[in-house]
Coordinates of all heavy atoms in Angstrom, one line a residue:
M25 N 14.4 -7.5 -28.5 CA 15.2 -7.4 -27.3 C 14.4 -7.5 -26.1 O 13.3 -6.9 -26.0 CB 16.0 -6.1 -27.3 CG 17.3 -6.2 -26.6 SD 18.2 -4.6 -26.7 CE 17.8 -3.9 -25.1
K26 N 14.9 -8.3 -25.1 CA 14.1 -8.4 -23.9 C 14.4 -7.3 -22.9 O 15.5 -6.9 -22.8 CB 14.5 -9.8 -23.2 CG 13.8 -11.0 -23.9 CD 13.8 -12.1 -22.9 CE 12.8 -13.2 -23.4 NZ 12.5 -14.2 -22.5
T27 N 13.4 -6.8 -22.3 CA 13.6 -5.8 -21.3 C 13.6 -6.5 -20.0 O 13.3 -7.6 -19.9 CB 12.4 -4.8 -21.3 OG1 11.2 -5.5 -21.0 CG2 12.2 -4.1 -22.6
A28 N 14.0 -5.8 -19.0 CA 14.1 -6.3 -17.6 C 12.8 -6.9 -17.2 O 12.7 -7.9 -16.5 CB 14.6 -5.3 -16.6
E29 N 11.7 -6.3 -17.6 CA 10.4 -6.7 -17.2 C 10.0 -8.0 -17.7 O 9.1 -8.7 -17.1 CB 9.3 -5.6 -17.5 CG 9.3 -4.5 -16.5 CD 8.1 -3.6 -16.7 OE1 7.0 -4.2 -16.8 OE2 8.2 -2.4 -16.7
D30 N 10.5 -8.5 -18.8 CA 10.2 -9.8 -19.3 C 10.7 -10.9 -18.5 O 10.2 -12.0 -18.5 CB 10.8 -10.0 -20.8 CG 10.1 -9.1 -21.7 OD1 8.9 -8.8 -21.5 OD2 10.7 -8.6 -22.7
N31 N 11.8 -10.7 -17.8 CA 12.4 -11.7 -17.0 C 12.1 -11.7 -15.5 O 12.6 -12.6 -14.8 CB 14.0 -11.6 -17.2 CG 14.4 -11.9 -18.6 OD1 13.9 -12.8 -19.2 ND2 15.3 -11.0 -19.1
I32 N 11.4 -10.8 -15.0 CA 11.2 -10.7 -13.6 C 10.3 -11.8 -13.1 O 9.4 -12.2 -13.7 CB 10.8 -9.3 -13.1 CG1 9.4 -8.9 -13.6 CG2 11.8 -8.2 -13.6 CD1 8.9 -7.6 -13.1
S33 N 10.6 -12.1 -11.8 CA 9.8 -13.2 -11.2 C 8.4 -12.7 -10.7 O 8.2 -11.5 -10.7 CB 10.6 -13.7 -10.0 OG 10.6 -12.7 -9.0
E34 N 7.6 -13.7 -10.3 CA 6.3 -13.3 -9.7 C 6.5 -12.4 -8.5 O 5.7 -11.4 -8.4 CB 5.6 -14.6 -9.3 CG 5.1 -15.4 -10.5 CD 4.1 -14.6 -11.4 OE1 3.2 -14.0 -10.8 OE2 4.3 -14.7 -12.6
L35 N 7.4 -12.7 -7.7 CA 7.6 -11.8 -6.5 C 8.0 -10.4 -6.9 O 7.5 -9.4 -6.3 CB 8.7 -12.5 -5.6 CG 9.1 -11.6 -4.3 CD1 7.8 -11.4 -3.4 CD2 10.2 -12.3 -3.5
E36 N 8.9 -10.4 -7.9 CA 9.3 -9.0 -8.3 C 8.2 -8.3 -9.0 O 8.1 -7.1 -8.8 CB 10.5 -9.2 -9.3 CG 11.8 -9.6 -8.6 CD 12.9 -10.2 -9.5 OE1 12.5 -10.7 -10.6 OE2 14.0 -10.1 -9.1
K37 N 7.3 -9.0 -9.7 CA 6.1 -8.4 -10.3 C 5.3 -7.8 -9.2 O 4.7 -6.7 -9.3 CB 5.3 -9.4 -11.1 CG 5.9 -9.7 -12.4 CD 5.0 -10.7 -13.2 CE 5.8 -11.3 -14.3 NZ 5.1 -12.6 -14.8
G38 N 5.2 -8.5 -8.1 CA 4.4 -8.0 -6.9 C 5.0 -6.7 -6.4 O 4.3 -5.7 -6.1
M39 N 6.3 -6.7 -6.4 CA 7.0 -5.5 -5.9 C 6.8 -4.3 -6.8 O 6.6 -3.1 -6.4 CB 8.5 -5.7 -5.8 CG 8.9 -6.7 -4.7 SD 10.7 -7.1 -4.8 CE 10.8 -8.4 -3.5
V40 N 6.9 -4.6 -8.1 CA 6.6 -3.5 -9.1 C 5.2 -3.0 -9.0 O 5.0 -1.8 -9.1 CB 6.9 -4.0 -10.6 CG1 6.5 -3.0 -11.6 CG2 8.4 -4.4 -10.7
S41 N 4.3 -3.9 -8.8 CA 2.9 -3.5 -8.6 C 2.7 -2.5 -7.4 O 2.0 -1.5 -7.5 CB 1.9 -4.6 -8.3 OG 1.9 -5.5 -9.4
I42 N 3.4 -2.8 -6.3 CA 3.3 -1.9 -5.1 C 3.8 -0.5 -5.5 O 3.2 0.5 -5.2 CB 4.1 -2.5 -4.0 CG1 3.5 -3.8 -3.5 CG2 4.2 -1.6 -2.8 CD1 4.3 -4.7 -2.5
I43 N 5.0 -0.5 -6.2 CA 5.6 0.8 -6.6 C 4.6 1.5 -7.5 O 4.4 2.7 -7.3 CB 6.9 0.6 -7.3 CG1 7.9 -0.1 -6.3 CG2 7.5 1.9 -7.9 CD1 9.2 -0.6 -6.9
Q44 N 4.1 0.8 -8.5 CA 3.2 1.5 -9.5 C 1.9 2.0 -8.9 O 1.5 3.1 -9.2 CB 2.9 0.6 -10.6 CG 4.1 0.4 -11.5 CD 3.9 -0.7 -12.6 OE1 3.0 -1.6 -12.5 NE2 4.7 -0.6 -13.6
I45 N 1.3 1.2 -8.0 CA 0.1 1.6 -7.3 C 0.3 2.9 -6.4 O -0.4 3.8 -6.5 CB -0.5 0.5 -6.5 CG1 -0.9 -0.7 -7.3 CG2 -1.7 1.0 -5.6 CD1 -2.2 -0.5 -8.1
F46 N 1.5 2.8 -5.7 CA 1.8 4.0 -4.9 C 1.9 5.3 -5.7 O 1.3 6.3 -5.4 CB 3.1 3.7 -4.2 CG 3.6 4.9 -3.3 CD1 3.1 5.1 -2.0 CD2 4.5 5.8 -3.8 CE1 3.5 6.2 -1.3 CE2 4.9 6.9 -3.1 CZ 4.4 7.1 -1.8
H47 N 2.6 5.1 -6.9 CA 2.8 6.3 -7.7 C 1.5 6.8 -8.4 O 1.3 8.0 -8.7 CB 3.9 6.1 -8.6 CG 5.2 6.2 -7.9 ND1 5.8 7.4 -7.5 CD2 6.1 5.3 -7.4 CE1 6.9 7.2 -6.9 NE2 7.1 5.9 -6.8
K48 N 0.6 5.8 -8.7 CA -0.7 6.2 -9.3 C -1.4 7.1 -8.4 O -2.1 8.0 -8.8 CB -1.5 4.9 -9.5 CG -2.8 5.0 -10.1 CD -3.5 3.7 -10.3 CE -5.0 3.8 -10.4 NZ -5.6 2.5 -10.4
Y49 N -1.3 6.9 -7.0 CA -2.1 7.7 -6.1 C -1.3 8.9 -5.6 O -1.8 9.9 -5.2 CB -2.6 6.9 -4.9 CG -3.7 6.0 -5.3 CD1 -3.5 4.7 -5.9 CD2 -5.0 6.4 -5.1 CE1 -4.5 3.9 -6.3 CE2 -6.1 5.6 -5.5 CZ -5.8 4.4 -6.1 OH -6.9 3.6 -6.5
S50 N 0.1 8.8 -5.6 CA 0.9 9.9 -5.1 C 1.1 11.0 -6.1 O 1.4 12.1 -5.8 CB 2.2 9.3 -4.6 OG 3.0 9.0 -5.7
G51 N 1.1 10.6 -7.4 CA 1.4 11.6 -8.5 C 2.8 12.0 -8.4 O 3.7 11.3 -7.9
H52 N 3.1 13.1 -9.0 CA 4.5 13.6 -9.1 C 5.2 13.9 -7.8 O 6.4 13.9 -7.7 CB 4.6 14.8 -10.0 CG 4.2 14.5 -11.5 ND1 4.9 13.5 -12.2 CD2 3.3 14.9 -12.3 CE1 4.4 13.4 -13.4 NE2 3.4 14.3 -13.5
K53 N 4.4 14.2 -6.8 CA 5.0 14.6 -5.5 C 5.6 13.4 -4.8 O 6.4 13.5 -3.9 CB 4.0 15.4 -4.6 CG 2.8 14.7 -4.2 CD 1.9 15.6 -3.5 CE 0.6 15.0 -3.1 NZ 0.1 13.8 -3.8
C54 N 5.2 12.2 -5.2 CA 5.7 11.0 -4.6 C 5.4 10.8 -3.1 O 6.2 10.1 -2.4 CB 7.2 10.8 -4.9 SG 7.6 10.8 -6.6
T55 N 4.4 11.4 -2.6 CA 4.0 11.2 -1.3 C 2.4 11.1 -1.3 O 1.8 11.7 -2.2 CB 4.4 12.3 -0.3 OG1 4.0 13.5 -0.8 CG2 5.9 12.2 -0.1
L56 N 1.9 10.5 -0.3 CA 0.4 10.4 -0.2 C -0.1 11.4 0.9 O 0.4 11.4 2.0 CB -0.1 9.0 0.2 CG 0.3 7.9 -0.7 CD1 0.0 6.5 -0.1 CD2 -0.5 8.0 -2.0
K57 N -1.1 12.2 0.5 CA -1.8 13.0 1.4 C -2.9 12.1 2.0 O -3.2 11.0 1.5 CB -2.5 14.2 0.7 CG -1.6 15.1 0.0 CD -1.2 16.3 0.8 CE -0.3 17.2 0.0 NZ 0.6 17.9 0.9
K58 N -3.6 12.6 3.1 CA -4.5 11.8 3.8 C -5.6 11.2 2.8 O -5.9 10.0 2.9 CB -5.2 12.6 4.9 CG -5.6 11.7 6.1 CD -6.1 12.6 7.2 CE -5.0 13.0 8.2 NZ -5.5 13.8 9.3
A59 N -6.2 12.0 2.0 CA -7.3 11.6 1.2 C -6.8 10.6 0.1 O -7.5 9.6 -0.3 CB -7.9 12.8 0.5
E60 N -5.6 10.7 -0.3 CA -5.0 9.8 -1.3 C -4.7 8.4 -0.7 O -4.9 7.4 -1.3 CB -3.7 10.4 -1.9 CG -3.9 11.6 -2.7 CD -2.7 12.4 -3.0 OE1 -1.7 12.3 -2.2 OE2 -2.7 13.3 -3.9
L61 N -4.3 8.4 0.6 CA -4.1 7.2 1.3 C -5.4 6.5 1.5 O -5.5 5.3 1.2 CB -3.5 7.5 2.7 CG -3.4 6.2 3.6 CD1 -2.2 5.3 3.1 CD2 -3.1 6.6 5.1
R62 N -6.5 7.2 1.8 CA -7.8 6.6 2.0 C -8.3 6.0 0.6 O -8.7 4.9 0.6 CB -8.8 7.7 2.4 CG -10.2 7.1 2.6 CD -11.3 8.2 2.6 NE -11.2 9.0 1.4 CZ -11.4 10.3 1.2 NH1 -11.7 11.0 2.2 NH2 -11.3 10.8 0.0
D63 N -8.1 6.8 -0.5 CA -8.5 6.3 -1.8 C -7.8 5.0 -2.2 O -8.3 4.0 -2.7 CB -8.4 7.3 -2.9 CG -9.3 8.5 -2.7 OD1 -10.3 8.3 -1.9 OD2 -9.1 9.5 -3.3
L64 N -6.5 5.0 -1.9 CA -5.7 3.8 -2.2 C -6.1 2.6 -1.5 O -6.4 1.5 -2.0 CB -4.2 4.1 -2.0 CG -3.1 3.1 -2.5 CD1 -1.8 3.8 -2.5 CD2 -3.1 1.9 -1.6
I65 N -6.3 2.8 -0.2 CA -6.8 1.7 0.7 C -8.2 1.2 0.2 O -8.4 0.0 0.0 CB -6.8 2.1 2.1 CG1 -5.3 2.2 2.6 CG2 -7.5 1.0 3.0 CD1 -5.1 2.8 4.0
N66 N -9.1 2.1 0.0 CA -10.4 1.8 -0.3 C -10.6 1.2 -1.7 O -11.4 0.3 -1.9 CB -11.4 3.0 -0.1 CG -11.6 3.3 1.3 OD1 -11.1 2.6 2.2 ND2 -12.3 4.4 1.6
N67 N -9.7 1.6 -2.6 CA -9.8 1.1 -4.0 C -9.0 -0.1 -4.2 O -9.3 -1.0 -5.1 CB -9.4 2.1 -5.0 CG -10.3 3.3 -5.0 OD1 -11.5 3.2 -4.7 ND2 -9.8 4.5 -5.5
E68 N -7.8 -0.2 -3.6 CA -6.9 -1.3 -3.9 C -6.7 -2.3 -2.9 O -6.0 -3.3 -3.1 CB -5.5 -0.6 -4.2 CG -5.5 0.6 -5.1 CD -5.8 0.3 -6.6 OE1 -5.8 -0.9 -7.0 OE2 -6.0 1.2 -7.3
M69 N -7.2 -2.2 -1.6 CA -6.9 -3.1 -0.6 C -8.2 -3.6 0.1 O -8.2 -4.1 1.2 CB -6.0 -2.5 0.5 CG -4.7 -2.1 -0.1 SD -3.6 -1.2 1.1 CE -2.9 -2.6 2.0
S70 N -9.3 -3.4 -0.6 CA -10.6 -3.6 0.1 C -11.0 -5.1 0.4 O -11.9 -5.4 1.1 CB -11.7 -2.9 -0.7 OG -11.9 -3.5 -1.9
T71 N -10.2 -6.0 -0.2 CA -10.5 -7.4 0.1 C -9.8 -7.8 1.4 O -10.3 -8.6 2.2 CB -9.9 -8.4 -1.0 OG1 -10.4 -7.9 -2.3 CG2 -10.4 -9.8 -0.8
F72 N -8.6 -7.2 1.6 CA -7.8 -7.6 2.8 C -8.1 -6.8 4.0 O -8.0 -7.3 5.1 CB -6.3 -7.4 2.4 CG -5.7 -8.5 1.6 CD1 -6.6 -9.5 1.0 CD2 -4.4 -8.6 1.3 CE1 -6.1 -10.5 0.2 CE2 -3.8 -9.6 0.5 CZ -4.7 -10.6 0.0
I73 N -8.4 -5.5 3.8 CA -8.8 -4.7 5.0 C -10.1 -4.0 4.7 O -10.4 -3.7 3.6 CB -7.7 -3.7 5.5 CG1 -7.2 -2.8 4.4 CG2 -6.4 -4.5 6.0 CD1 -6.1 -1.8 4.8
K74 N -10.8 -3.7 5.8 CA -12.1 -3.1 5.5 C -11.9 -1.6 5.1 O -11.0 -0.9 5.5 CB -13.1 -3.3 6.7 CG -12.7 -2.6 8.0 CD -13.9 -2.9 8.9 CE -14.0 -1.9 10.1 NZ -13.1 -2.1 11.2
K75 N -12.9 -1.2 4.3 CA -12.8 0.2 3.8 C -12.9 1.2 5.0 O -13.5 1.0 6.0 CB -14.0 0.5 2.9 CG -13.8 -0.2 1.5 CD -14.8 0.3 0.5 CE -14.6 -0.4 -0.8 NZ -15.3 0.3 -1.9
I76 N -12.2 2.3 4.7 CA -12.1 3.4 5.7 C -13.4 4.3 5.5 O -13.5 4.9 4.5 CB -10.9 4.2 5.6 CG1 -9.6 3.3 5.9 CG2 -10.9 5.4 6.6 CD1 -8.3 4.1 5.6
Q77 N -14.2 4.3 6.5 CA -15.5 5.1 6.4 C -15.3 6.3 7.3 O -15.7 7.4 6.9 CB -16.7 4.3 6.9 CG -16.8 2.9 6.3 CD -17.5 2.8 4.9 OE1 -17.6 3.9 4.3 NE2 -17.8 1.6 4.5
E78 N -14.8 6.2 8.5 CA -14.7 7.2 9.5 C -13.4 8.1 9.3 O -12.4 7.5 9.2 CB -14.7 6.6 10.9 CG -15.8 5.6 11.2 CD -17.1 6.2 11.5 OE1 -17.1 7.3 12.2 OE2 -18.1 5.7 11.0
N79 N -13.6 9.4 9.5 CA -12.4 10.2 9.5 C -11.5 9.9 10.6 O -10.3 10.0 10.5 CB -12.8 11.7 9.6 CG -13.3 12.2 8.2 OD1 -12.9 11.7 7.2 ND2 -14.1 13.3 8.2
E80 N -12.1 9.5 11.7 CA -11.3 9.2 12.9 C -10.3 8.0 12.6 O -9.2 8.0 13.0 CB -12.2 8.8 14.0 CG -11.7 9.1 15.4 CD -12.8 8.8 16.4 OE1 -13.1 7.6 16.7 OE2 -13.4 9.8 16.9
T81 N -10.9 7.0 11.9 CA -10.1 5.8 11.6 C -8.9 6.2 10.7 O -7.8 5.8 10.8 CB -11.0 4.8 10.8 OG1 -12.2 4.6 11.5 CG2 -10.2 3.5 10.6
L82 N -9.2 7.1 9.7 CA -8.2 7.5 8.8 C -7.1 8.3 9.5 O -5.9 8.1 9.3 CB -8.9 8.4 7.7 CG -7.9 9.0 6.6 CD1 -7.2 7.9 5.8 CD2 -8.7 9.9 5.6
D83 N -7.6 9.2 10.4 CA -6.6 10.1 11.1 C -5.6 9.2 11.9 O -4.4 9.4 11.9 CB -7.3 11.0 12.1 CG -8.1 12.1 11.4 OD1 -7.8 12.3 10.2 OD2 -8.9 12.8 12.1
E84 N -6.2 8.2 12.6 CA -5.4 7.3 13.4 C -4.4 6.5 12.6 O -3.2 6.5 12.9 CB -6.3 6.3 14.1 CG -6.0 6.0 15.5 CD -7.1 5.3 16.2 OE1 -8.1 5.9 16.7 OE2 -7.0 4.0 16.2
L85 N -4.9 5.9 11.5 CA -4.0 5.1 10.6 C -2.9 6.0 10.0 O -1.7 5.7 10.0 CB -4.8 4.5 9.5 CG -4.0 3.7 8.4 CD1 -3.3 2.5 9.1 CD2 -4.8 3.3 7.3
F86 N -3.3 7.2 9.6 CA -2.4 8.1 9.0 C -1.3 8.5 9.9 O -0.1 8.5 9.6 CB -3.1 9.4 8.5 CG -2.3 10.3 7.6 CD1 -2.3 10.1 6.2 CD2 -1.5 11.3 8.1 CE1 -1.5 10.9 5.4 CE2 -0.8 12.1 7.3 CZ -0.8 11.9 5.9
S87 N -1.6 8.9 11.2 CA -0.6 9.3 12.1 C 0.3 8.1 12.5 O 1.5 8.3 12.8 CB -1.1 10.1 13.3 OG -2.0 9.3 14.0
D88 N -0.3 6.9 12.5 CA 0.6 5.7 12.8 C 1.6 5.5 11.7 O 2.8 5.1 12.0 CB -0.3 4.4 12.8 CG -1.0 4.3 14.2 OD1 -0.7 5.0 15.1 OD2 -1.9 3.4 14.3
L89 N 1.2 5.7 10.5 CA 2.1 5.5 9.3 C 3.1 6.6 9.1 O 4.2 6.4 8.6 CB 1.3 5.3 8.0 CG 0.4 4.0 7.9 CD1 -0.4 4.0 6.6 CD2 1.3 2.8 8.0
D90 N 2.7 7.8 9.5 CA 3.5 9.0 9.2 C 4.7 9.1 10.3 O 4.6 9.9 11.2 CB 2.7 10.2 9.2 CG 3.5 11.5 8.9 OD1 4.6 11.4 8.3 OD2 3.0 12.6 9.1
Q91 N 5.7 8.3 10.1 CA 6.8 8.1 11.1 C 7.5 9.5 11.3 O 7.9 9.8 12.4 CB 7.8 7.1 10.6 CG 7.2 5.7 10.5 CD 7.2 5.0 11.8 OE1 8.2 5.0 12.5 NE2 6.2 4.3 12.1
N92 N 7.7 10.2 10.3 CA 8.5 11.5 10.5 C 7.6 12.7 10.7 O 8.1 13.8 10.8 CB 9.5 11.7 9.3 CG 8.7 11.9 8.0 OD1 7.5 11.9 7.9 ND2 9.5 12.2 6.9
G93 N 6.3 12.5 10.8 CA 5.4 13.6 11.2 C 5.3 14.7 10.2 O 5.0 15.8 10.6
D94 N 5.6 14.5 8.9 CA 5.5 15.6 7.9 C 4.1 15.7 7.3 O 4.0 16.4 6.3 CB 6.6 15.5 6.9 CG 6.5 14.3 6.0 OD1 5.6 13.4 6.3 OD2 7.3 14.2 5.1
L95 N 3.2 14.9 7.8 CA 1.8 14.9 7.3 C 1.7 14.4 5.8 O 0.7 14.8 5.1 CB 1.1 16.3 7.4 CG 1.1 16.9 8.9 CD1 0.5 18.3 8.9 CD2 0.3 15.9 9.8
E96 N 2.6 13.6 5.4 CA 2.6 13.0 4.2 C 3.1 11.6 4.3 O 4.0 11.3 5.2 CB 3.4 13.7 3.1 CG 2.8 15.1 2.8 CD 3.7 15.8 1.8 OE1 4.9 15.6 1.8 OE2 3.1 16.6 1.0
I97 N 2.6 10.6 3.5 CA 3.1 9.3 3.6 C 4.1 9.0 2.4 O 3.6 9.0 1.2 CB 2.0 8.2 3.5 CG1 1.0 8.5 4.7 CG2 2.5 6.8 3.6 CD1 1.5 8.4 6.1
D98 N 5.4 8.9 2.7 CA 6.3 8.6 1.6 C 6.3 7.1 1.3 O 5.6 6.3 2.0 CB 7.7 9.2 1.9 CG 8.3 8.6 3.1 OD1 8.0 7.4 3.5 OD2 9.2 9.3 3.7
F99 N 7.1 6.7 0.3 CA 7.0 5.3 -0.1 C 7.5 4.3 1.1 O 6.9 3.3 1.3 CB 7.9 5.0 -1.3 CG 7.7 3.6 -1.9 CD1 6.5 3.3 -2.5 CD2 8.7 2.7 -1.8 CE1 6.3 2.0 -3.0 CE2 8.6 1.4 -2.2 CZ 7.4 1.0 -2.8
K100 N 8.5 4.7 1.8 CA 9.0 3.9 2.9 C 8.0 3.8 4.0 O 7.8 2.7 4.5 CB 10.3 4.7 3.4 CG 11.2 3.7 4.1 CD 12.5 4.5 4.5 CE 13.1 4.0 5.7 NZ 14.1 4.9 6.3
E101 N 7.2 4.8 4.2 CA 6.2 4.7 5.2 C 5.0 3.8 4.7 O 4.4 3.1 5.5 CB 5.7 6.1 5.6 CG 6.7 6.9 6.4 CD 6.4 8.4 6.5 OE1 5.6 8.9 5.7 OE2 7.0 9.0 7.3
F102 N 4.7 3.9 3.4 CA 3.7 3.1 2.8 C 4.0 1.6 2.9 O 3.1 0.8 3.1 CB 3.5 3.6 1.4 CG 2.5 2.8 0.6 CD1 1.2 2.8 0.9 CD2 3.0 2.0 -0.5 CE1 0.3 2.0 0.1 CE2 2.1 1.2 -1.2 CZ 0.7 1.2 -0.9
I103 N 5.2 1.3 2.6 CA 5.7 -0.1 2.6 C 5.4 -0.7 4.0 O 5.1 -1.9 4.1 CB 7.2 -0.1 2.3 CG1 7.4 -0.1 0.8 CG2 7.9 -1.3 2.9 CD1 7.0 -1.3 0.1
A104 N 5.5 0.1 5.0 CA 5.2 -0.5 6.4 C 3.7 -1.0 6.5 O 3.5 -2.0 7.1 CB 5.5 0.6 7.4
L105 N 2.8 -0.3 5.8 CA 1.4 -0.7 5.8 C 1.3 -2.0 5.0 O 0.6 -2.9 5.4 CB 0.6 0.4 5.1 CG -0.9 0.0 4.8 CD1 -1.7 -0.1 6.1 CD2 -1.5 1.1 3.9
I106 N 2.0 -2.0 3.8 CA 1.9 -3.3 3.0 C 2.5 -4.5 3.8 O 1.9 -5.5 3.8 CB 2.8 -3.1 1.7 CG1 2.2 -2.0 0.9 CG2 2.9 -4.4 1.0 CD1 0.9 -2.3 0.2
A107 N 3.6 -4.2 4.6 CA 4.2 -5.3 5.4 C 3.2 -5.7 6.5 O 3.0 -6.9 6.7 CB 5.5 -4.8 6.0
M108 N 2.6 -4.8 7.1 CA 1.6 -5.1 8.2 C 0.4 -6.0 7.7 O 0.1 -7.0 8.2 CB 1.0 -3.9 8.8 CG 1.9 -3.3 9.9 SD 0.9 -2.0 10.8 CE 0.9 -0.7 9.6
V109 N -0.1 -5.5 6.6 CA -1.3 -6.1 6.0 C -1.0 -7.5 5.5 O -1.7 -8.5 5.7 CB -2.0 -5.3 5.0 CG1 -3.2 -6.0 4.3 CG2 -2.5 -4.0 5.6
T110 N 0.2 -7.6 4.8 CA 0.6 -8.9 4.2 C 0.9 -9.9 5.3 O 0.5 -11.0 5.3 CB 1.9 -8.7 3.4 OG1 1.7 -7.7 2.4 CG2 2.3 -10.0 2.7
S111 N 1.5 -9.4 6.4 CA 1.8 -10.3 7.5 C 0.5 -10.7 8.2 O 0.3 -11.9 8.5 CB 2.6 -9.5 8.5 OG 2.8 -10.2 9.7
A112 N -0.5 -9.9 8.3 CA -1.7 -10.2 8.9 C -2.5 -11.2 8.1 O -3.3 -12.0 8.6 CB -2.6 -9.0 9.2
C113 N -2.3 -11.2 6.8 CA -3.1 -12.0 5.9 C -2.4 -13.3 5.5 O -3.0 -14.2 4.9 CB -3.4 -11.3 4.5 SG -4.5 -9.9 4.7
E114 N -1.2 -13.5 6.0 CA -0.4 -14.7 5.7 C -1.1 -16.0 5.9 O -1.2 -16.8 5.0 CB 0.9 -14.7 6.4 CG 1.9 -15.7 5.9 CD 2.7 -16.4 7.0 OE1 2.7 -15.9 8.1 OE2 3.2 -17.5 6.6
E115 N -1.7 -16.1 7.1 CA -2.4 -17.4 7.4 C -3.5 -17.8 6.4 O -3.8 -19.0 6.3 CB -2.8 -17.5 8.8 CG -3.9 -16.5 9.2 CD -4.2 -16.5 10.7 OE1 -3.3 -16.8 11.5 OE2 -5.3 -16.1 11.0
L116 N -4.1 -16.8 5.8 CA -5.2 -17.1 4.8 C -4.6 -17.8 3.6 O -5.4 -18.4 2.8 CB -5.9 -15.8 4.4 CG -6.5 -15.0 5.5 CD1 -7.1 -13.7 4.9 CD2 -7.7 -15.8 6.2
F117 N -3.3 -17.6 3.3 CA -2.8 -18.1 2.0 C -1.7 -19.1 2.1 O -1.0 -19.3 1.2 CB -2.3 -16.8 1.2 CG -3.4 -15.9 0.8 CD1 -3.8 -14.8 1.6 CD2 -4.2 -16.2 -0.3 CE1 -4.8 -14.0 1.2 CE2 -5.2 -15.3 -0.7 CZ -5.5 -14.3 0.1
V118 N -1.5 -19.6 3.4 CA -0.5 -20.7 3.5 C -0.9 -21.9 2.7 O -2.1 -22.3 2.8 CB -0.4 -21.1 5.0 CG1 0.6 -22.2 5.2 CG2 0.1 -19.9 5.8
P119 N 0.0 -22.4 1.8 CA -0.3 -23.5 1.0 C -0.7 -24.7 1.9 O -0.1 -25.0 2.9 CB 1.0 -23.8 0.2 CG 1.8 -22.6 0.3 CD 1.4 -21.9 1.6
D120 N -1.7 -25.5 1.4 CA -2.2 -26.6 2.1 C -1.3 -27.8 1.8 O -1.3 -28.3 0.7 CB -3.6 -26.9 1.7 CG -4.2 -28.1 2.5 OD1 -3.5 -28.6 3.4 OD2 -5.4 -28.4 2.2
N121 N -0.5 -28.3 2.7 CA 0.5 -29.3 2.5 C 0.0 -30.7 2.9 O 0.7 -31.7 2.8 CB 1.8 -29.1 3.2 CG 2.5 -27.9 2.5 OD1 2.5 -27.7 1.3 ND2 3.1 -27.1 3.4
S122 N -1.3 -30.8 3.3 CA -1.8 -32.1 3.8 C -2.0 -33.1 2.6 O -2.2 -32.7 1.5 CB -3.1 -31.9 4.5 OG -4.1 -31.4 3.7
Ligands
CA14 CA1 5.8 11.1 6.5

């Protein structure tokens, strides 16, 4: 019997990856603390954005993403980061139609 996952598209696989990676770092609480956000970015996004070395950089990014100010990054807030980085990287991956 086929499961839903056998039929999903490449785009949907990308979406599932985003969800799975988020939960790998957020654990059962389903939100990212500051150090977890740093680890996720440094381990999983290091080709697209430079690694976070300075606490100041992390503090700034964290407060930008933490829309509701509860000192945790929930999935909705995390998606905004994915959208920003994806948008910024788009021109690198535009198919060459020439
Ligand atoms: Ca928050």
